[in-house]
Structures are given as structure tokens and as C-alpha cells.
Amino acid sequence: MSSSPWEPAPLRRVFVVGVGMTKFMRPGAENSRDYPDLAGEAGQKALADAQIPYSAVDQACVGYVFGDSTCGQRAIYHSLGMTGIPIINVNNNCSTGSTALFMARQLIQGGVAECVLALGFEKMSKGSLGIKFSDRTIPTDKHLDVLINKYGLSAHPVAPQMFGYAGKEHMEKYGTKIEHFAKIGWKNHKHSVNNPYSQFQDEYSLDEVMASKKVFDFLTILQCCPTSDGAAAAILASEAFVQKYGLQSKAVEILAQEMMTDLPSSFEEKSIIKMVGFDMSKEAARKCYEKSGLTPNDIDVIELHDCFSTNELLTYEALGLCPEGQGATLVDRGDNTYGGKWVINPSGGLISKGHPLGATVGHTCNPSTLRGKGGRIA
């Protein structure tokens, strides 16, 4: 018998061969739709984009946060088909959509499946997010302890306080100005004009962004993501599947994808920046760069989690786009938009596009996906 240590089998390459999404909408609007309709549209669009039938899909990973158990089955059965495949439901807060994609990719990487549907949807309530179950421990109680011990907690919605105080800590530590965060909101609204799927497609001046309704402290409503209804889907496939169905011209490889959860620094360093996820974002990015062989200089376009303008600036630093503490300089240089070094959130970001949790990638357990230039099968 060999005395060499156990080594895992090499992982297979994974490709995106089809995508689809709905327009994101304000919850409760007159033309609002239920989740099976939203999910059906996104799934059908992804299958049409891939030019494959639903019967070719081996498994489905379905993400949503607000809904009863097995909504994924109901979302798929009567719009895409009932072929008896495993349908795995995922609930992981703002990273729910990313987690569904992460699971789908792993199924193909490990040789368990050849083609997997990653589907995410959300039908949300109006207004800020609240607690659904008041008779048990909330998952973020220890995170809130960090906030309470440093800045206290008011009656305002909790999420804007967490990310607002993270921005305040950044200003105190590095001299960042309120205007830098406002410029990010201005930039994302400007980008949204070109995205027909965006919940909002209005352009504002910087003064209008700063003078809009205050949500918490310096964070105005035009720097905060709205709640939204919507759905998105991606068809993932192995290299063998791509070749079998002749999808080489449209297949885009996922070169690296990492998922991180909290590290001790989230709680032990008494930092709101760390508490909202800076270190896990930084580590996820580091692993992605390492596995892909790429650096920030190889990336042209970035979509990142701008639940609030403050988090976008923090994520610039976590991704290594600039040294820690210099996110404001990157903003002032215009290196986050067209004509600059990167185009960041060309979709308009969550701030404009909307944030149906299951249908958008996220930060709470921050998966980070990077694609380099090209990325298609030759």
C-alpha cells in the first residue's frame, strides 16, 4: 500500500452556458407577480439562452429567503418541468443566490452532475428588513453586540446602522468624507440608466443623492438598496456537456469561486468594518486570485455587494483594488466607472437594480466570483 498522504481528485472545469433574469420590481406594486411566475421566467430564459431542454438538467439548487419550505419545488414544477431531479433549497441571507451557484458548481466540479440549474428568487415585503421569529435567538445577536458596545443601537432599522457605522468608523480611521460614499450612490444610479432590468433607472446629481431622505445618519435613501421582487437563473455545465451539446461558443468558465463565513476578527477586534465582513471578503478574494492566477489588474468589470454605499467602498479595499484606507482615493480618481481602471456595478448595483435576496449575490457569507478576460472554451 502507498504511504503517500491522501490527495483529493482533481476538480472538473465548470462553465456557465445560459442565464436569465426578470426585471426587479418594487414589492406590492400593482403589477407585482408571485414567485413561481418570476422563477419560471428566469428559468425559461436561462434554458432558452443555453438552447437545452429542462430534461437535460441533472439537479437544481434554488435560493430564496422569505418563504415556506420547498418553494423551490413549486417554482420549478409547473413552469420548467417535473423530471424527478433533486431540488435543493438554499437560504443564506444576502448570499443566497451566490450559495445556490456555489453548490451547483461543486456538484459539477466533483463529478456528481453534468448540468445543474442555479435559480434564485424573492418576493419581499415593503420597507426595511425585520425579524421574522421573535421567540428565538436571532442569528446576528453576536454581531449586534459588537455594534452596541462601540456605538450603541437606536430604533432605526438595524442594517443601515451596521453599515452606516462601518462607514463612520472608516471616516474616523482614514479621513474618508461623506461625499465619497455619496459619489458611489451617484455612480450606481448613473449606471442603472442602461439596465432595463433595474428596479430604478433614474439618474441624480450628487447634490440630490446627498439631499435625499435620510435613512440613518449620513446614509440617504439613494445610497441604500431597496427591497425587491425578482428572479435570476444560470445553467452550469461540465466540459463534456458543453462539447456534447455544441455550446463552446457561449460557454464561460467560472475560473474561481470562494465562499467564506465569519472569522474570529468579526467579533474580537471591536471593529464594525470587520463585523460587517471585511476580513472574510478579503480572504475570499485572496483565494480567488490565487486559484485563478489573476490579479485585480487583470479584471475589467466587477459586480460587488453594494447593499449600502459604505459597503461598496469597503469592498474596494477587501478586493485589493487599493490599499486599506484608500477607497476614497479610488473614488476620487473615477476608477470605479467608465473611463477608469474598473467598471464597478455597471448594472446599477443593488442600490439601483434592487436586492431580491435569493436572486442577487451577497456579502453576509461572502462568496466571491472572478472571471478573467476571455474565459470561453476555445
Side-chain angles (χ1 to χ4, degrees), residues 343-359:
V343 181
I344 301 178
N345 286 334
S347 66
L350 304 178
I351 286 174
S352 295
K353 180 177 58 181
H355 192 12
L357 303 183

Side-chain angles (χ1 to χ4, degrees), residues 94 230 375:
C94 298

Side-chain angles (χ1 to χ4, degrees), residues 297-378:
N297 291 330
D298 298 311
I299 309 298
D300 298 314
V301 180
I302 299 169
E303 285 282 341
L304 56 78
H305 192 72
D306 62 318
C307 50
F308 300 92
S309 58
T310 50
N311 197 58
E312 175 160 332
L313 187 143
L314 294 175
T315 307
Y316 296 164
E317 299 175 12
L319 292 178
L321 308 185
C322 61
E324 290 183 30
Q326 294 187 26
T329 303
L330 187 152
V331 171
D332 285 338
R333 287 199 309 259
D335 276 342
N336 56 0
T337 189
Y338 297 94
K341 194 167 185 178
W342 301 277
V343 181
I344 301 178
N345 286 334
S347 66
L350 304 178
I351 286 174
S352 295
K353 180 177 58 181
H355 192 12
L357 303 183
T360 43
V361 297
H363 175 278
T364 304
C365 301
N366 202 72
S368 217
T369 305
L370 301 175
R371 287 192 198 147
K373 300 171 183 176
R376 296 181 183 273
I377 300 177

Side-chain angles (χ1 to χ4, degrees), residues 134-146:
S134 59
D135 61 344
R136 64 204 71 182
T137 301
I138 63 170
T140 54
D141 64 334
K142 299 300 183 183
H143 295 79
L144 290 176
D145 284 347
V146 179

Side-chain angles (χ1 to χ4, degrees), residues 186 189-193 200-205 208-209:
W186 168 80
H189 283 287
K190 186 177 179 66
H191 286 178
S192 75
V193 173
F200 302 114
Q201 288 185 269
D202 300 311
E203 186 174 347
Y204 300 92
S205 68
E208 287 175 320
V209 171

